[in-house]
Amino acid sequence: MSHGRRTALTLLALVTACGVVSGVAPATADPVAAPALEFANPDSQALFGTAYTAALDNLLRTNTIGYDTKYDKSGLLDPAVGLVRAGGGYDQPWTRDASVNSWNATSLLAPALAENTLWAVVDKDASGALRVQQDDQQWDQVVWVTAAWHHYLVTGDRQFLGDAYRTAGDTLTIREHAGTAGFNATYGLFTGPSFFNDGIAGYPAPPADATESVSTGSSPWPGVASGMYLSTNEVYYAAYVNAANMADQFGDPAAAGYRTKAAALKAAINNHFWNAATGLYDYQLLADGTRGAYQEGTGLAFAILFGVADPAQARSIVTHAREMTWGMPDTFPHWDRYSAAQPGRHNAIVWPLVQGLWAKALAAQGNQSGFAAETAKLAKLAGGNSGFWEIYNGDTGVVDGGWQRLGDTVKFHWGSQPDQTWSATAFLDMVHTGLFGLTFTDRGLAFTPDLPAGWGDVTLRNLRYRNADLTIALHGAGTRISAFTLDGRPAPGNAVPATLSGAHRVEITLTGATAGDRDGDHVADAADRCADTAGTVAGCPAPGHLEAEDAHNTGGVKTNVNHTGYSGRAFLDGLWAQGAASSFTLHRTSADATTGVITVRYANANGDARTMTLSVAGKAVRQVSFPVVSGSWDDWGTVTFTGVPLSGRDPVVTLSYAPGDTGSINLDWLEYRG
């Protein structure tokens, strides 16, 4: 089964656009007591704490499925434990997704689940040797090696490591001798598409052409198949390094050979991809020697995370990399055949997978403002769209699958799928690796936290690490540790040993925070009431007019642009079933109790008036009615509700599809008058 879901299973994605594929069996074992994230600052809790809870739910409930014999080709799965699928619309683990999700979060949060998921994408050759599954998108399969090594560092499971080492060796040998997506000795680089860009929209012309005339996928394009790409070669470099690390654990002299290959590959990457003129690594190198000075988000992140870039190069990357309004894009800038109006599916568009890797790299560089901004953006994207989707428009933040050829259709507008696991685990990793600075070694767990100014003190409770149950509390702000205690006593090396067992408390005090400005309103985050308002990236929205896309949305409500006549960046749809809700925070100048008037602009092309429940601060005020506007969803009307009770400076007004309501309207904006 191919793991290239973003092209091969497009039709499946189209017919499951409303959510999860049916028939998914729940996991039958490996129950997980999820950790809890608690901020002292209520605004931080509302944004980051809520997003963290949603991400945990995505991973441990929505996308954890039961054991299935079709995935047990390695013979190493535990039938009593489930595995993690790719996400809504994609009911498989897939090599790339299984590896990234385990690396990001699953190995820490649910080790048995991660182990099963990693083995679910491994099979055996005719002689019975273990190998990562060989399919039609094999160019980046060695990312599995990095995920497997990380799993060992988290768990200390040497039995797993032994099987993983054999799998790593066999898989690297296959790739080194492969005719397709193999090794090009002339350049000393591996060929084949970039890390996860399995669609031709991820490539400029050449190797593509202006009409994407050959194929939706990237592999059938000769220029892509024979080309060399930054992120893929970095994944191979990391695989060699981690295969050497595995070999060291068993005293295998093969470690030296792996390190020699890693060093040669690193040198080739820096020789052929580093561009001193741009201060960045190039994206592509075609077989004829033509270089492509484009930006690849994953490639730049991997360069820092894997140590391909030296310290000066890493600083240059952070300085010169371009982000879009809503985060680090996949590839950039727009290819000539795409535009802001029609962004490519893998071009100048935001995938949370990329955001997570980039945020991790920024945290590793000590770039606190950049890390804070990227993390806040993903939290806002999740909060404004009922969870973690596959792809978002980089300019507007609207859920958007981008444009790309589909069969005989040129520049087909694709859907963006909900409940994407690697989008959710990207945020979990922002919290664990970025905010708390969790750093795993075979000796223990070290900490290099990054707590931005204005976020407030934060505690992570019930975090299982091997045989220990940790409560980790961060105080102050910054990246410099001024105090570190384990159970009230100073701990050497700002770390806890791998042998720790039972319940323990880690207290870390930080200093050196910079005054960030995540929303760009020229007010330092520490003094900004609205730095973390869901949905907006620029300033504090006035209570007199709130665009619906700035609301916090749950129950399936999301941004959309598939009708005309709306204002702002988008409108909201998805108010179609009980439990759907949109919440608007009214940032008032006074905290006095009063009654106000709420006006809502909406669309209702149903044949009758529809009802919703109006609530304030979580308490229902009354059921409200939305009359028919016309027979077209492109037409909008307004309705006004008087006598709405409000108190406090930041009351939250919610419109929800509650029991007894009929819902099924679209929302454009909400206005308040005192």
Side-chain angles (χ1 to χ4, degrees), residues 109-140:
L109 298 175
L113 182 65
E115 183 171 336
N116 250 27
T117 303
L118 289 169
W119 290 132
V121 295
V122 170
D123 61 19
K124 295 179 179 179
D125 65 14
S127 67
L130 292 168
R131 61 184 185 178
V132 176
Q133 62 185 357
Q134 302 297 300
D135 51 32
D136 62 350
Q137 296 191 0
Q138 69 283 75
W139 62 85
D140 65 355

Side-chain angles (χ1 to χ4, degrees), residues 241-401:
V241 169
N242 291 320
N245 291 334
M246 293 178 181
D248 284 340
Q249 291 293 320
F250 298 105
D252 188 342
Y258 286 129
R259 288 202 167 89
T260 297
K261 291 177 180 179
L265 186 53
K266 179 178 178 178
I269 292 170
N270 278 293
N271 182 36
H272 294 295
F273 287 102
W274 179 251
N275 189 328
T278 64
L280 301 169
Y281 287 93
D282 289 346
Y283 170 43
Q284 71 176 13
L285 173 66
L286 299 183
D288 64 3
T290 302
R291 292 177 60 158
Y294 311 106
Q295 177 180 296
E296 182 193 19
T298 50
L300 297 183
F302 285 155
I304 295 172
L305 293 172
F306 295 152
V308 172
D310 65 27
Q313 288 172 314
R315 289 192 297 270
S316 179
I317 290 170
V318 172
T319 299
H320 293 101
R322 293 279 306 279
E323 291 197 45
M324 301 183 75
T325 302
W326 284 94
M328 173 58 74
D330 176 5
T331 56
F332 192 81
H334 291 288
W335 312 141
D336 289 342
R337 62 194 188 275
Y338 295 117
S339 65
Q342 293 185 341
R345 184 165 175 81
H346 289 277
N347 175 226
I349 202 165
V350 169
W351 292 68
L353 159 70
V354 181
Q355 285 184 293
L357 292 169
W358 181 240
K360 185 192 303 201
L362 290 170
Q365 279 298 107
N367 188 310
Q368 189 170 63
S369 60
F371 163 72
E374 200 72 35
T375 305
K377 288 171 184 176
L378 182 51
K380 293 173 184 179
L381 289 172
N385 294 284
S386 299
F388 294 88
W389 290 70
E390 187 177 23
I391 320 172
Y392 301 87
N393 186 291
D395 293 319
T396 66
V398 173
V399 173
D400 186 353

Side-chain angles (χ1 to χ4, degrees), residues 59 66-67 97 131 189 191 196 214 222 229 259 283 289 366 382 385 403 437 455 495 500 565 573 581 610 661:
L59 172 64
Y67 169 84
D97 300 74
R131 61 184 185 178
L189 296 167
T191 64
F196 81 104
V214 175
Y229 291 87
R259 288 202 167 89
Y283 170 43
N385 294 284
W403 296 75
W455 285 23
L500 197 68
D573 68 8
R610 293 300 169 118
D661 291 331

Side-chain angles (χ1 to χ4, degrees), residues 200-574:
I200 192 56
Y203 302 87
D209 60 35
T211 61
E212 300 180 349
S213 59
V214 175
S215 169
T216 299
S218 57
S219 292
W221 290 77
V224 176
S226 64
M228 290 145 283
Y229 291 87
L230 175 63
S231 57
T232 294
N233 279 278
E234 292 166 330
V235 167
Y236 274 87
Y237 167 74
Y240 280 131
V241 169
N242 291 320
N245 291 334
M246 293 178 181
D248 284 340
Q249 291 293 320
F250 298 105
D252 188 342
Y258 286 129
R259 288 202 167 89
T260 297
K261 291 177 180 179
L265 186 53
K266 179 178 178 178
I269 292 170
N270 278 293
N271 182 36
H272 294 295
F273 287 102
W274 179 251
N275 189 328
T278 64
L280 301 169
Y281 287 93
D282 289 346
Y283 170 43
Q284 71 176 13
L285 173 66
L286 299 183
D288 64 3
T290 302
R291 292 177 60 158
Y294 311 106
Q295 177 180 296
E296 182 193 19
T298 50
L300 297 183
F302 285 155
I304 295 172
L305 293 172
F306 295 152
V308 172
D310 65 27
Q313 288 172 314
R315 289 192 297 270
S316 179
I317 290 170
V318 172
T319 299
H320 293 101
R322 293 279 306 279
E323 291 197 45
M324 301 183 75
T325 302
W326 284 94
M328 173 58 74
D330 176 5
T331 56
F332 192 81
H334 291 288
W335 312 141
D336 289 342
R337 62 194 188 275
Y338 295 117
S339 65
Q342 293 185 341
R345 184 165 175 81
H346 289 277
N347 175 226
I349 202 165
V350 169
W351 292 68
L353 159 70
V354 181
Q355 285 184 293
L357 292 169
W358 181 240
K360 185 192 303 201
L362 290 170
Q365 279 298 107
N367 188 310
Q368 189 170 63
S369 60
F371 163 72
E374 200 72 35
T375 305
K377 288 171 184 176
L378 182 51
K380 293 173 184 179
L381 289 172
N385 294 284
S386 299
F388 294 88
W389 290 70
E390 187 177 23
I391 320 172
Y392 301 87
N393 186 291
D395 293 319
T396 66
V398 173
V399 173
D400 186 353
W403 296 75
Q404 178 176 279
R405 179 183 175 87
L406 176 63
D408 294 330
T409 303
V410 176
K411 290 179 72 174
F412 177 85
H413 195 191
W414 288 47
S416 175
Q417 292 301 295
D419 298 323
Q420 295 304 286
T421 317
W422 65 11
S423 297
T425 62
F427 186 77
L428 294 172
D429 193 47
M430 287 173 166
V431 172
H432 298 151
T433 302
L435 177 58
F436 284 88
L438 304 185
T439 305
F440 300 93
T441 72
D442 56 356
R443 298 181 303 278
L445 173 60
F447 297 82
T448 56
D450 189 335
L451 178 56
W455 285 23
D457 290 359
V458 57
T459 302
L460 185 62
R461 301 185 188 278
N462 193 39
L463 182 73
R464 295 290 303 180
Y465 167 62
R466 299 198 181 184
N467 293 317
D469 185 347
L470 302 179
T471 294
I472 309 165
L474 304 182
H475 307 285
T479 59
R480 294 197 300 271
I481 296 176
S482 61
F484 184 100
T485 62
L486 175 62
D487 299 327
R489 297 184 180 89
N494 300 331
V496 299
T499 55
L500 197 68
S501 63
H504 299 273
R505 184 177 181 88
V506 176
E507 299 268 359
I508 306 173
T509 302
L510 297 158
T511 61
T514 55
D517 180 20
R518 291 186 297 281
D519 59 2
D521 64 351
H522 308 294
V523 177
D525 295 329
D528 192 347
R529 293 171 63 201
C530 304
D532 298 322
T533 300
T536 180
V537 293
C540 190
H545 182 89
L546 297 176
E547 289 291 339
E549 59 269 25
D550 292 339
H552 180 83
N553 299 298
T554 55
V557 183
K558 66 174 180 63
T559 52
N560 208 336
V561 293
N562 66 345
H563 296 296
T564 62
Y566 60 87
S567 68
R569 297 179 284 114
F571 64 89
L572 296 180
D573 68 8

